[in-house]
Amino acid sequence: MIKVENLTKRYAGITAIRDLSFHVEKGEIVGFLGPNGAGKSTTMRILSSYMPATSGRASIAGFDVFSQSMEARQHLGYMPENVPLYPDMRVTEYLNYRATLKEITGARQRERVGDVKELCALKEVENRIIGTLSKGYRQRVGLADALLHSPDLLILDEPTIGLDPNQIRQVRDLIRNLGRHHTILLSTHILPEVEMTCSRVVIINRGKIEAADTPENLVHAMRTAGGIRLEAKVGKDDGLAEIGKLAGVKEVSVEAEDDWSVFTLRTDSRSDPREELWRLATDRRWTVRELSRRRATLEDVFVELTLGDEV
Amino acid sequence: MTKFLTLLSREVKSCFYSPIAYVVLCFFLGLTGLCFYSGVGFLSRGATERTVVEAFFDSIPFWIGFILIFPPITMRVFAEEFKMGTIETLMTAPVRDWQVVLAKFGGALVFYIVLWLPTLLYFVVFQQIAKADAANAAGAYWGSYLELLMAGMLFISVGCFASVLTQNQMVAAVISFCVITFFFLGGLLSFFTPNIAPEFRMMASYCSVLEHMGEFSKGMIDSRRFVFYGSGTALMLLLTHQVFQFRRWKA
Ligand SMILES: Nc1ncnc2c1ncn2[C@@H]1O[C@H](COP(=O)(O)OP(=O)(O)OP(=O)(O)O)[C@@H](O)[C@H]1O
Ligand SMILES: [Mg+2]
């Protein structure tokens, strides 16, 4: 659905993205992640034909975004960062206006505008002036606009930024539902959301791709998988010495909590020393009140990939 | 075509949604009313060769006011969209750059024409009451309006160009004001400096909107003027289109 080959974009002075290549297949929901200034919005703007790349090629549904941009735009629903809208128009008026620009007219326009208002829960504000809407509703108007021409592909730049937790959940559900019929590329900084909705993630940092895989694979491939936590009644130094000897343990730290010791272990991604820990504790007759493993999350992956070379 | 008309009607509407439109409208009605009043006053002072149309269009306050209306009409057309970021939603819909440029130009032009409509009434009323011709001939009457339309097109295209250069409406207004004033002063060059080279004088008079207006309001319709305004407008719109693309491409 999206094919990006060796895309480079240079602004006056800085290179925002460098030799970027990735693709998105039909039916996928792909999360596009990266720290601030990584080049996510830049890539999306190129894909939406808003501006051309300095070099490289990109196509949407087989249409080159530069040379066949009209066809590409017909297949794409795009919601820019910060959802710019005309503040002086009314919601329905705006959607009708956008529909005509997208060549949806007459009875089909009435039907589509009605549908997207329904889908994005805009019915109760349909006659309000956009400038007076809350941020969340404006976001929904932007999303409704992107959906108007029932495009095969949706590109959403930070669709949930600035929304309250309820609305985030609503938008997330909406996106998941849309994912049944549309291909979606979305950028966001809310990583749990990506784990819940996206079938694949592309992580970029400083204009370069760091990883592109399913969230599960990325988490599994983490070099430093999640930690293990053990709370036991044992002297701090004793415990440290004994636990440090176990295979697969890379690092142990300890904190005192009343007369309990709380050990935090970092391990290799492949090994799980919980069984040996348990045996050790029973052998030494430590009283254990908690033994748990914290799974690595996408956030760990993100931090490792985008911060790794700085720390 | 439907797309263009949609864009155009959006532009016209957004003109009328903005409070500036009403300020300009009031200012302009007041100004033209005053000019008409003083024109009629001038005629009633005694026998003269001038008609009311000539007296109206040939007064200094009229021209000063005329220059002043273009910057507020055109300053927002592109600058506001760039500032608000709506240019990104607009230009990722399947519309072409030139459609947007022409729609913005056309929207401002429609507003400009609406500004002028009430003044048509002045001359109708004059003819009814004074039982005298407002102009020497129908040609002079319509000629004046034709000249206004063409000069308007040129200056609106200048204004659009100024607006596409910046995202600050004030800056756009100042640029277009300066350029338009320059046209006028250019036309007055021969008054200020009587001994300049004749080539310059020729050029100045070719560009002088003031001079053209004098001719048109007497009923002399000169096809060279059409070429001047037509090509000037086309050139400005072309430049606007180029800068519009360039700004997004380099953005
Ligand atoms: N119009 C512009 N002119 C010059 N530089 C720009 C422009 N837009 C973006 N940049 C630069 O390009 C780089 C990438 O910006 P981009 O907006 O794509 O980042 P992003 O990944 O979307 O970040 P965020 O998470 O903050 O939205 C940044 O260094 C930014 O400063
Ligand atoms: Mg961004």
Side-chain angles (χ1 to χ4, degrees), chain A:
Chain A
M1 207 67 203
I2 304 180
K3 215 182 261 161
V4 173
E5 287 165 27
N6 308 104
L7 211 61
T8 299
K9 174 75 191 181
R10 220 167 286 130
Y11 290 113
I14 38 172
T15 308
I17 53 174
R18 226 172 273 149
D19 211 18
L20 216 61
S21 302
F22 65 92
H23 52 90
V24 175
E25 300 304 329
K26 198 169 169 56
E28 280 186 311
I29 304 184
V30 175
F32 199 41
L33 311 180
N36 294 131
K40 303 180 296 294
S41 301
T42 302
T43 311
M44 287 180 158
R45 282 185 177 155
I46 294 169
L47 287 174
S48 67
S49 317
Y50 176 68
M51 58 189 186
T54 311
S55 67
R57 290 155 45 79
S59 65
I60 279 174
F63 298 105
D64 188 277
V65 294
F66 185 66
S67 58
Q68 296 166 300
S69 99
M70 288 300 146
E71 291 87 347
R73 292 179 206 191
Q74 297 280 10
H75 287 85
L76 168 71
Y78 173 55
M79 183 169 121
E81 204 170 11
N82 303 324
V83 202
L85 302 166
Y86 295 117
D88 55 353
M89 287 175 114
R90 289 173 196 281
V91 173
T92 307
E93 182 192 12
Y94 179 72
L95 292 175
N96 283 336
Y97 162 74
R98 295 290 297 177
T100 320
L101 289 189
K102 295 174 175 183
E103 292 169 16
I104 305 165
T105 48
R108 186 162 150 66
Q109 176 172 355
R110 234 163 300 135
E111 182 194 326
R112 282 307 300 161
V113 169
D115 284 356
V116 295
K117 276 194 290 196
E118 190 99 21
L119 202 61
C120 301
L122 284 170
K123 274 277 187 248
E124 67 260 45
V125 295
E126 60 185 355
N127 292 318
R128 292 262 297 272
I129 290 174
I130 291 175
T132 67
L133 292 180
S134 74
K135 169 109 177 138
Y137 274 102
R138 259 180 280 167
Q139 209 95 1
R140 293 192 211 177
V141 175
L143 195 57
D145 167 30
L147 292 170
L148 264 177
H149 50 309
S150 18
D152 309 326
L153 172 69
L154 283 170
I155 294 186
L156 311 173
D157 201 347
E158 305 199 12
T160 52
I161 193 172
L163 300 185
D164 71 41
N166 296 332
Q167 296 202 335
I168 289 183
R169 184 175 288 184
Q170 280 180 15
V171 171
R172 190 169 61 215
D173 291 344
L174 183 59
I175 288 174
R176 221 179 313 177
N177 282 335
L178 290 171
R180 300 212 193 104
H181 308 285
H182 305 259
T183 309
I184 302 179
L185 178 70
L186 65 99
S187 80
T188 175
H189 292 296
I190 306 172
L191 297 171
E193 180 182 307
V194 176
E195 284 183 310
M196 279 183 265
T197 48
C198 297
S199 54
R200 211 154 61 86
V201 295
V202 174
I203 299 181
I204 68 170
N205 186 27
R206 297 201 213 144
K208 282 199 179 126
I209 294 200
E210 297 284 355
D213 210 335
T214 63
E216 295 79 35
N217 285 352
L218 283 177
V219 169
H220 277 133
M222 273 274 291
R223 272 185 285 131
T224 52
I228 288 172
R229 182 183 159 98
L230 171 73
E231 289 186 25
K233 221 172 227 169
V234 61
K236 282 205 291 191
D237 299 327
D238 280 0
L240 271 183
E242 299 277 1
I243 294 170
K245 278 187 238 155
L246 294 179
V249 176
K250 280 169 47 180
E251 199 185 309
V252 198
S253 59
V254 67
E255 263 171 63
E257 208 173 87
D258 301 333
D259 39 353
W260 296 86
S261 296
V262 181
F263 300 93
T264 313
L265 288 73
R266 291 217 307 153
T267 62
D268 296 337
S269 58
R270 298 291 163 218
S271 55
D272 181 356
R274 277 179 295 178
E275 215 176 313
E276 285 91 81
L277 257 179
W278 173 251
R279 226 168 280 135
L280 178 74
T282 41
D283 284 356
R284 300 283 189 279
R285 298 187 180 278
W286 301 343
T287 319
V288 172
R289 73 170 179 186
E290 181 178 335
L291 174 57
S292 62
R293 175 169 139 177
R294 194 180 69 86
R295 277 176 200 288
T297 59
L298 202 53
E299 190 170 317
D300 300 315
V301 179
F302 183 88
V303 170
E304 164 137 345
L305 288 177
T306 59
L307 216 59
D309 44 342
E310 279 169 27
V311 232

Side-chain angles (χ1 to χ4, degrees), chain B residues 165-188:
Chain B
L165 290 175
T166 167
Q167 52 172 271
N168 184 327
Q169 297 193 26
M170 275 326 289
V171 174
V174 171
I175 294 176
S176 59
F177 178 76
C178 290
V179 174
I180 292 168
T181 310
F182 216 75
F183 266 103
F184 269 79
L185 293 186
L188 296 175

